[in-house]
Amino acid sequence: MNYPEQLSTLDSSLPDETAAMIEKIIEAWSLLKTRQPLVQCITNSVATNYTANILLAAGASPAMIDNPFEAESFSSICSALSINLGTPTSEQMQAMQISAETAQRLAKPWVLDPVGYGPVLKWRSDMVDALLAFQPSVIRGNASEIGGLAGAQVESKGVDSTLDSTAVYAQAKSLLAHAECIAISGESDFILSRQLEQVVQVNGGSELQPKVTATGCALGALIAAYAAVSPVTIATIAAHVHFAIAGKLAHAQSSQVGSFNVAFIDAIFSLDADTIREHADLKFLAP
Amino acid sequence: MNYPEQLSTLDSSLPDETAAMIEKIIEAWSLLKTRQPLVQCITNSVATNYTANILLAAGASPAMIDNPFEAESFSSICSALSINLGTPTSEQMQAMQISAETAQRLAKPWVLDPVGYGPVLKWRSDMVDALLAFQPSVIRGNASEIGGLAGAQVESKGVDSTLDSTAVYAQAKSLLAHAECIAISGESDFILSRQLEQVVQVNGGSELQPKVTATGCALGALIAAYAAVSPVTIATIAAHVHFAIAGKLAHAQSSQVGSFNVAFIDAIFSLDADTIREHADLKFLAP
Amino acid sequence: MNYPEQLSTLDSSLPDETAAMIEKIIEAWSLLKTRQPLVQCITNSVATNYTANILLAAGASPAMIDNPFEAESFSSICSALSINLGTPTSEQMQAMQISAETAQRLAKPWVLDPVGYGPVLKWRSDMVDALLAFQPSVIRGNASEIGGLAGAQVESKGVDSTLDSTAVYAQAKSLLAHAECIAISGESDFILSRQLEQVVQVNGGSELQPKVTATGCALGALIAAYAAVSPVTIATIAAHVHFAIAGKLAHAQSSQVGSFNVAFIDAIFSLDADTIREHADLKFLAP
């Protein structure tokens, strides 16, 4: 079953391919619950508590070690690393470099979330550029951040924040030179991988998710948690599916942001194999 | 209709005056939802997540950029700025000065929340004194902080924390030399403005609000958000009314602090014009 | 009524002894609600908001003053101090030393929570060792942290994180040379005190508590709050009983972590004398 080229943005998933991926997601989820991997998070001041609670709810063991004096020894024993540039301090910036270098050297999976990447926030953007040298396993961000980063690494295209994730994913392919997976969050999420010919589109979630702060930051850390127990591509897709299902189920519980957020954490926690099979909504898009 | 001097603490609102203000509040609320202004918050470690969630629920776009290396460029593009002295770090202190200077230079509204102002906490109090040079649009605090700040700027009066907001608002007038509005939080809130002969009293809220940390801090940021889309005086009153209504409605949902807090965020989010008209409780007090 | 040596891990409580302790806990709880003591918390970035909310719900007045420039003056006026090593910064490290020294000098109760103590996290572990010189009133941690600290102070025993709190409490006795009480958190909590021949075991809680981040950190701060209004041993036991009851009641409300956490804060807030009498579950173990 082949789709003609002009239908490339339509669903080109083979039913078997999607079903096989869902079983792999279930396996990754099960391993996350069982192994409770230790995930180091260097993250922003808005996201620390929320990220830790999301990781705990999902089954991982978070540790927010973000000082330069303990970064190397801790990155040496953790199972995965998540670096988020939301509200960096000078000490965190040093820790990021040490931990990213350590993760690369020891072949541990690590996720880079270039929050706010762009010309206005030069200090962090320069650090993001520098961190690319340590070859993150996954780069995750919204369309503006990923588009900006892709543009900056190739040529400046004046990418602005009005770009949606559909428009940016073609451009994002260039970032596969720096990372095994690129994940772009939006109304639908798009995941590019060196391992896949196709782009994976993950649907679901809720329009309330962007109304709760730090959900994207926590998603980056959850990718790291999954990557501690499964291959990077599966991990990236699994984390996005986990979030998308939780957002959908939480919205069914409440359409108010405060209650939605409580229900969202509940749904992250209560996910199981049947729920994944019933609600996972992903498509393989022709390249 | 004139009130004799001795009735000055009673309600001197003309019904038309109150009704007109409520319509202006509704207009400000509507603009906040529509324009989703970008609000820079330099705030304390307790308040970051909560403040971001309150701003998102109200319709604004928060950004917690608080490092000195990106402060100038970010303050140049944001629509309003909120500075809160709760748990300052040396880097935040530098960022506060740069951002306040930038906001003043570019005529952007900015709110100063002098948390803990007083002789015990000299480092931050000296910074608050210095920040007054950049002419905040609004200074917001509890009676102790505002009374202390007013006393320190005029003469030391040994203001202590037992002062309530009613007692302090006369004294606070002197601070209008430094800011367009002064807001004093308490069981009732009092707002003084260069634009108004009278003092505005906002009632409502819940006695549970002080049992949830960072509500005052988030209120300061919400004033900034409103000031991004409406005149400073309207913005200050609107933010207080928004909070007072949400507190009242949340308390009707739950009398336990954990559940109250969830309901409070729900109520910040679900506010609408009819709710404002039904529940806004404000008075104009004779000067 | 004497128990033979081989029954030493069984309940050796005299009914009167337990009942008398419960009345002392109730008295401590009542004083906490009435006096609302000012508690300084130098804590980690994950725990700040949660700790403040737990203290407020319990009746205390939290203040997260954690910079070295205000540490001495604030520690001089607060009623108790809580130091937590979760995510230290250089400025916090300086503040910890100043505040601990001030608390000792002025004979104010203070609690040390050596989060992550062990050879991997040397920077903080060295600081914990140094802080012992200022004689904390209480050292609180999980079995791995307390076991590690006990081992490091006596001799290195290669204590690992698989130790449970039952196994570690004998070893922890050596730490009574440094602090009046030692509290070990786990499925059951164990409290050792210079004032008690026996070890106090506190039961209750919920297996969901470890799934909510920063609960242990908040417990450390709650011990400090209780110690501001009651003797250190009573305070330590009371805080653990308060948490254990709240965890048990919250779990009866919800078995999902997000909702559980909301219910937990509600239960911290709504505790009263009857609830303590009905649900307190503590035992005195023969030494």
Side-chain angles (χ1 to χ4, degrees):
Chain A
M1 185 169 159
N2 278 305
Y3 284 90
E5 189 112 20
Q6 65 269 32
L7 290 183
S8 66
T9 59
L10 297 182
D11 183 8
S12 66
S13 310
L14 297 167
D16 286 357
E17 195 176 17
T18 304
M21 179 57 76
I22 288 172
E23 292 310 309
K24 286 177 188 166
I25 291 169
I26 290 170
E27 191 187 351
W29 165 80
S30 177
L31 287 170
L32 181 57
K33 282 280 182 189
T34 314
R35 295 200 190 155
Q36 307 185 14
L38 183 61
V39 182
Q40 180 185 1
C41 302
I42 303 177
T43 191
N44 65 72
S45 60
V46 183
T48 46
N49 183 276
Y50 192 69
T51 298
N53 274 332
I54 290 289
L55 289 199
L56 284 169
S61 300
M64 271 57 187
I65 308 299
D66 62 354
N67 69 75
F69 315 109
E70 299 173 331
E72 184 176 357
S73 60
F74 197 80
S75 299
S76 300
I77 65 140
C78 72
S79 297
L81 166 69
S82 174
I83 291 182
N84 175 298
L85 276 284
T87 60
T89 64
S90 291
E91 288 192 351
Q92 282 186 320
M93 286 293 213
Q94 295 171 48
M96 287 175 194
Q97 287 190 291
I98 296 166
S99 287
E101 189 278 331
T102 305
Q104 184 195 25
R105 182 164 43 83
L106 302 177
K108 302 194 184 214
W110 76 277
V111 176
L112 176 62
D113 192 336
V115 180
Y117 189 95
V120 173
L121 299 171
K122 189 165 166 20
W123 186 47
R124 75 187 59 201
S125 299
D126 287 349
M127 175 59 74
V128 168
D129 292 345
L131 290 172
L132 291 180
F134 303 116
Q135 302 199 27
S137 313
V138 185
I139 303 173
R140 186 219 83 83
N142 61 32
S144 172
E145 292 152 358
I146 297 296
L149 185 55
Q153 299 306 314
V154 186
E155 54 175 308
S156 180
K157 295 189 179 171
V159 175
D160 69 16
S161 61
T162 59
L163 276 183
D164 68 18
S165 42
T166 317
V168 86
Y169 85 71
Q171 192 184 12
K173 270 181 198 169
S174 64
L175 291 176
L176 289 176
H178 300 282
E180 197 170 327
C181 279
I182 309 299
I184 310 159
S185 296
E187 205 175 308
S188 287
D189 304 320
F190 296 94
I191 295 154
L192 294 80
S193 165
R194 290 179 193 162
Q195 309 299 319
L196 296 173
E197 284 285 305
Q198 296 159 300
V199 172
V200 176
Q201 178 179 351
V202 177
N203 300 310
S206 156
E207 81 257 16
L208 291 178
Q209 259 162 300
K211 290 284 181 188
V212 176
T213 195
T215 48
C217 306
L219 174 56
L222 188 61
I223 295 169
Y226 270 104
V229 297
S230 55
V232 167
T233 302
I234 306 295
T236 307
I237 298 170
H240 281 80
V241 167
H242 198 151
F243 253 55
I245 295 176
K248 182 183 167 191
L249 296 180
H251 201 148
Q253 293 289 316
S254 175
S255 60
Q256 304 296 325
V257 281
S259 313
F260 168 81
N261 194 19
V262 173
F264 182 72
I265 297 174
D266 284 351
I268 290 286
F269 177 67
S270 64
L271 190 80
D272 59 21
D274 288 344
T275 310
I276 297 172
R277 271 193 208 98
E278 185 179 346
H279 294 286
D281 182 356
L282 56 91
K283 293 179 183 178
F284 289 81
L285 307 181
Chain B
M1 184 167 159
N2 278 307
Y3 283 90
E5 189 113 18
Q6 66 268 31
L7 290 183
S8 66
T9 59
L10 297 182
D11 183 8
S12 68
S13 309
L14 298 167
D16 286 358
E17 196 177 15
T18 304
M21 179 57 78
I22 289 172
E23 292 309 309
K24 285 177 188 167
I25 291 169
I26 290 170
E27 190 187 351
W29 164 81
S30 176
L31 286 170
L32 181 57
K33 282 278 182 190
T34 314
R35 294 200 192 156
Q36 306 186 14
L38 184 61
V39 182
Q40 181 185 1
C41 302
I42 304 177
T43 192
N44 65 74
S45 60
V46 183
T48 45
N49 184 275
Y50 192 69
T51 298
N53 274 332
I54 290 289
L55 289 198
L56 284 168
S61 300
M64 271 57 188
I65 308 299
D66 62 354
N67 70 73
F69 315 109
E70 298 173 331
E72 184 176 358
S73 60
F74 197 80
S75 299
S76 300
I77 64 139
C78 71
S79 297
L81 167 68
S82 173
I83 292 182
N84 176 298
L85 275 285
T87 60
T89 64
S90 291
E91 288 192 351
Q92 282 186 317
M93 286 293 213
Q94 295 170 49
M96 288 175 193
Q97 287 190 290
I98 295 166
S99 286
E101 189 278 331
T102 306
Q104 183 195 25
R105 182 163 44 80
L106 301 178
K108 302 194 185 214
W110 76 278
V111 176
L112 176 61
D113 192 335
V115 179
Y117 189 94
V120 173
L121 299 172
K122 190 166 166 17
W123 187 48
R124 73 186 60 200
S125 299
D126 287 349
M127 177 58 74
V128 169
D129 292 345
L131 290 173
L132 292 180
F134 303 115
Q135 302 199 26
S137 312
V138 184
I139 303 174
R140 186 220 83 83
N142 62 32
S144 173
E145 291 153 357
I146 297 296
L149 186 55
Q153 299 306 313
V154 185
E155 53 176 307
S156 178
K157 295 186 179 174
V159 176
D160 69 17
S161 62
T162 59
L163 276 182
D164 68 19
S165 43
T166 317
V168 86
Y169 83 72
Q171 192 185 10
K173 272 182 196 168
S174 65
L175 291 176
L176 289 177
H178 300 284
E180 197 170 327
C181 279
I182 309 299
I184 310 159
S185 295
E187 206 176 306
S188 286
D189 303 320
F190 296 95
I191 294 153
L192 295 80
S193 165
R194 290 179 192 161
Q195 310 298 319
L196 296 173
E197 284 285 304
Q198 295 159 303
V199 172
V200 176
Q201 179 179 350
V202 176
N203 300 310
S206 157
E207 81 258 15
L208 292 178
Q209 258 161 302
K211 290 283 180 190
V212 176
T213 196
T215 48
C217 306
L219 174 55
L222 188 61
I223 295 170
Y226 270 104
V229 297
S230 55
V232 168
T233 301
I234 306 295
T236 307
I237 298 169
H240 282 79
V241 168
H242 197 151
F243 252 54
I245 294 175
K248 183 183 168 191
L249 296 180
H251 200 148
Q253 293 288 316
S254 175
S255 59
Q256 303 297 326
V257 282
S259 313
F260 168 82
N261 195 18
V262 174
F264 182 72
I265 297 173
D266 284 352
I268 290 287
F269 177 67
S270 65
L271 191 79
D272 59 22
D274 288 345
T275 310
I276 296 172
R277 271 192 207 98
E278 185 179 344
H279 294 286
D281 182 356
L282 57 91
K283 294 178 180 177
F284 288 82
L285 306 181
Chain C
M1 185 169 158
N2 279 305
Y3 283 90
E5 189 112 19
Q6 64 271 29
L7 291 182
S8 66
T9 58
L10 297 183
D11 183 7
S12 67
S13 309
L14 297 167
D16 286 358
E17 197 177 14
T18 304
M21 180 56 78
I22 289 172
E23 293 309 309
K24 286 177 188 167
I25 291 168
I26 290 170
E27 191 187 348
W29 165 81
S30 176
L31 286 171
L32 181 58
K33 281 280 182 189
T34 315
R35 295 200 190 154
Q36 307 185 13
L38 183 62
V39 181
Q40 180 186 1
C41 303
I42 304 177
T43 192
N44 65 73
S45 61
V46 183
T48 45
N49 182 276
Y50 191 69
T51 298
N53 274 333
I54 290 290
L55 289 198
L56 285 169
S61 299
M64 271 56 188
I65 307 299
D66 62 355
N67 70 74
F69 316 108
E70 298 173 331
E72 185 176 358
S73 60
F74 197 80
S75 299
S76 300
I77 65 140
C78 70
S79 297
L81 167 69
S82 175
I83 293 182
N84 177 298
L85 276 286
T87 60
T89 64
S90 292
E91 289 192 350
Q92 281 187 318
M93 286 293 214
Q94 296 171 47
M96 287 176 193
Q97 287 190 289
I98 296 167
S99 286
E101 189 279 331
T102 305
Q104 182 195 26
R105 181 162 44 81
L106 301 178
K108 302 195 184 213
W110 76 278
V111 177
L112 176 62
D113 193 336
V115 180
Y117 189 94
V120 173
L121 298 172
K122 192 167 166 16
W123 187 48
R124 74 187 60 201
S125 299
D126 288 348
M127 176 58 74
V128 169
D129 292 344
L131 290 173
L132 291 180
F134 302 116
Q135 302 198 26
S137 312
V138 185
I139 303 173
R140 187 221 82 83
N142 61 32
S144 172
E145 291 152 358
I146 296 296
L149 185 56
Q153 299 305 313
V154 185
E155 53 175 307
S156 180
K157 294 188 180 172
V159 177
D160 69 16
S161 61
T162 60
L163 275 183
D164 68 18
S165 42
T166 316
V168 86
Y169 84 72
Q171 192 185 11
K173 270 183 197 167
S174 65
L175 290 176
L176 289 177
H178 300 283
E180 198 171 326
C181 279
I182 309 299
I184 309 159
S185 296
E187 204 176 308
S188 287
D189 304 319
F190 296 94
I191 294 153
L192 295 81
S193 166
R194 289 179 193 162
Q195 310 298 319
L196 296 173
E197 284 285 306
Q198 296 159 300
V199 172
V200 176
Q201 179 180 351
V202 176
N203 300 311
S206 157
E207 82 258 14
L208 292 178
Q209 259 162 300
K211 289 283 180 190
V212 176
T213 196
T215 49
C217 306
L219 174 56
L222 188 61
I223 295 170
Y226 269 104
V229 297
S230 56
V232 167
T233 302
I234 307 295
T236 306
I237 299 169
H240 282 79
V241 168
H242 198 151
F243 253 54
I245 294 176
K248 184 183 166 190
L249 297 180
H251 201 149
Q253 293 289 316
S254 175
S255 61
Q256 303 297 324
V257 283
S259 313
F260 168 82
N261 195 19
V262 174
F264 182 72
I265 297 173
D266 284 351
I268 290 286
F269 178 67
S270 65
L271 191 80
D272 59 22
D274 288 344
T275 311
I276 297 173
R277 271 192 208 97
E278 186 179 344
H279 295 286
D281 182 355
L282 55 92
K283 294 179 182 178
F284 288 82
L285 306 182

